[in-house]
Amino acid sequence: MLVLLAPSTSTDGDLAGLLAPAGLVVAGVGLTATLRGRVRWARIGSRALGAAVTAAGLVLVGIGGALAPAPAPVLASAGRTVTVQPPPPSLAPTSAPTPSPSSTAAGVPVVTATATPSTSDPAPAPGTALAALATLPVKGRAPKTGYARALFGQAWADVDRNGCDTRNDVLRRDLTAYVLRAGTHGCLVLRGTLDDPYTGRTIAFLRGQATSTAVQIDHVVALSDAWQKGAQRWSAATRQAFANDSLNLLAVDGPTNEAKGDGDAATWLPPVRSYRCAYVARQVAVKARYGLWVTAAEQEAIRVVLSGCPGQRLPAARPFVLGGGSVEAASTPAPQPDPAPVATTGGGLDPRFDTCREATAQGYGPYVRGRDPEYDWYQDRDHDGVVCE
């Protein structure tokens, strides 16, 4: 191990830097005179004088060494030298240091002290969508095998027993300036205005065979997605309740709803970015309520959205309320003769089925009151004069 002397910037260091070399020179000259008997240019004419000069030179070397500052230790190994300099007091770490090796000499690591910053994110506040997201199980998507819409019960069933189908319940909740049909106990919506949350557009809703689909009811967590993430294990009653839960339903732009399909947050988000926080928060609320899981990609997609709105609260389910809009009397259709008895098939009529669901599944319908004899075969639940829509 070598010890090097580093020059000092102090006054003692400058004097030491002069005395030590000078003493070596003087001692060398004196030693030469002692060996040879004289050194003419130095005016040393005898060995005794040479010995005295040598002694004086060694004294100077000693004084210079005493005045020199303490050297910085140096580690040398395999032809490589590393000097370890102490840090200035102003740069000393103020927290517990984390060693990190900078070089190695003779198997001994030379370390520098660095403070370790905290990188942990704060825990999400209770009641927020982020906090609820952390409670959802993360699993892979189960196969879609066996899925059918019919497994979630009759479409828009009156599960809350308020005397109105779920579709009209949602329309009344989400439309503004809506008009109700008289005689339906505040149930059936004839027309209204939708401020669509998905596209930001204002859509005029008008009930009718060619116009009703402009506004559709979206299952925020799609039925197929629920089937693949836990609903396969549910009872029929639970699946029907899920399909008609107000928390999971929104009136939205029809074409946009069709484009969404059964996508989750990893594959589809509303075009309006400002609504995405509320949208994924509703998905989290629904999945937490029914014990559904999320995939890893879905969880990450929701987390990214909510990172921009960490205080987003979970929405709450609200019961549907009848009425609320203006009422318009239904137009009275012209009297029609009683239809003649019809056969189940033949005679130019469509085949007769037990339910409208079976008829539409086979491509038949819709049937209009006063025009189609098939209208009388089925129940007009929304009282709009059209069945099997």
Side-chain angles (χ1 to χ4, degrees):
M1 185 168 292
L2 303 178
V3 178
L4 303 181
L5 295 177
S8 170
T9 59
S10 66
T11 301
D12 289 343
D14 292 342
L15 182 60
L18 293 175
L19 290 179
L24 290 174
V25 172
V26 171
V29 173
L31 182 61
T32 301
T34 302
L35 295 176
R36 293 182 177 181
R38 66 173 62 185
V39 175
R40 291 183 178 180
W41 64 268
R43 300 183 181 277
I44 301 175
S46 67
R47 286 185 172 86
L49 183 56
V53 171
T54 300
L58 294 176
V59 170
L60 290 176
V61 172
I63 295 173
L67 295 177
V74 183
L75 303 180
S77 176
R80 187 173 60 170
T81 302
V82 180
T83 302
V84 181
Q85 297 287 352
S90 61
L91 299 180
T94 58
S95 59
T98 300
S100 57
S102 58
S103 62
T104 302
V108 180
V110 179
V111 299
T112 58
T114 57
T116 303
S118 175
T119 58
S120 59
D121 294 328
T128 62
L130 271 175
L133 176 64
T135 68
L136 299 182
V138 180
K139 301 181 184 180
R141 183 187 295 271
K144 192 177 178 180
T145 306
Y147 168 75
R149 172 61 180 86
L151 292 172
F152 287 81
Q154 177 186 335
W156 312 131
D158 181 15
V159 296
D160 60 357
R161 307 295 185 186
N162 69 347
C164 190
D165 62 281
T166 304
R167 173 177 167 81
N168 277 288
D169 282 340
V170 177
L171 290 176
R172 288 194 315 277
R173 184 195 66 186
D174 293 350
L175 298 185
T176 59
Y178 58 86
V179 177
L180 301 172
R181 173 173 288 176
T184 62
H185 306 287
C187 169
L188 191 141
V189 179
L190 292 175
R191 57 184 179 274
T193 301
L194 173 69
D195 293 323
D196 178 41
Y198 288 178
T199 65
R201 296 172 50 231
T202 299
I203 302 172
F205 169 76
L206 178 64
R207 176 174 295 278
Q209 183 177 346
T211 57
S212 288
T213 56
V215 173
Q216 297 180 14
I217 309 303
D218 179 35
H219 288 94
V220 177
V221 175
L223 302 185
S224 171
D225 182 66
W227 177 261
Q228 297 172 76
K229 296 172 183 175
Q232 295 184 28
R233 304 171 300 177
W234 295 349
S235 66
T238 301
R239 285 195 290 267
Q240 185 175 56
F242 175 84
N244 293 276
D245 191 332
S246 65
L247 183 65
N248 193 34
L249 300 174
L250 288 176
V252 298
D253 173 62
T256 303
N257 182 48
E258 293 171 0
K260 170 189 171 180
D262 63 355
D264 59 20
T267 59
W268 191 90
L269 290 170
V272 175
R273 291 181 176 272
S274 60
Y275 187 70
R276 291 181 177 179
C277 283
Y279 175 79
V280 298
R282 187 172 292 271
Q283 286 194 324
V284 170
V286 171
K287 294 205 167 188
R289 183 173 187 173
Y290 286 89
L292 296 172
W293 66 75
V294 292
T295 65
E298 180 184 6
Q299 181 193 53
E300 177 62 14
I302 295 174
R303 187 199 64 77
V304 169
V305 172
L306 293 176
S307 66
C309 48
Q312 178 72 45
R313 310 292 293 182
L314 290 176
R318 293 183 299 160
F320 294 122
V321 179
L322 292 170
S326 59
V327 178
E328 181 177 287
S331 58
T332 304
Q336 298 290 327
D338 292 335
V342 295
T344 300
T345 59
L349 298 176
D350 290 342
R352 185 168 184 169
F353 298 91
D354 291 334
T355 64
C356 265
R357 183 186 303 135
E358 296 175 10
T360 56
Q362 297 298 322
Y364 295 99
Y367 305 116
V368 180
R369 180 175 54 203
R371 186 193 73 183
D372 301 310
E374 295 92 338
Y375 172 86
D376 296 313
W377 298 347
Y378 305 102
Q379 184 176 5
D380 187 357
R381 292 183 179 277
D382 56 6
H383 313 290
D384 64 349
V386 182
V387 295
C388 301
E389 301 170 77

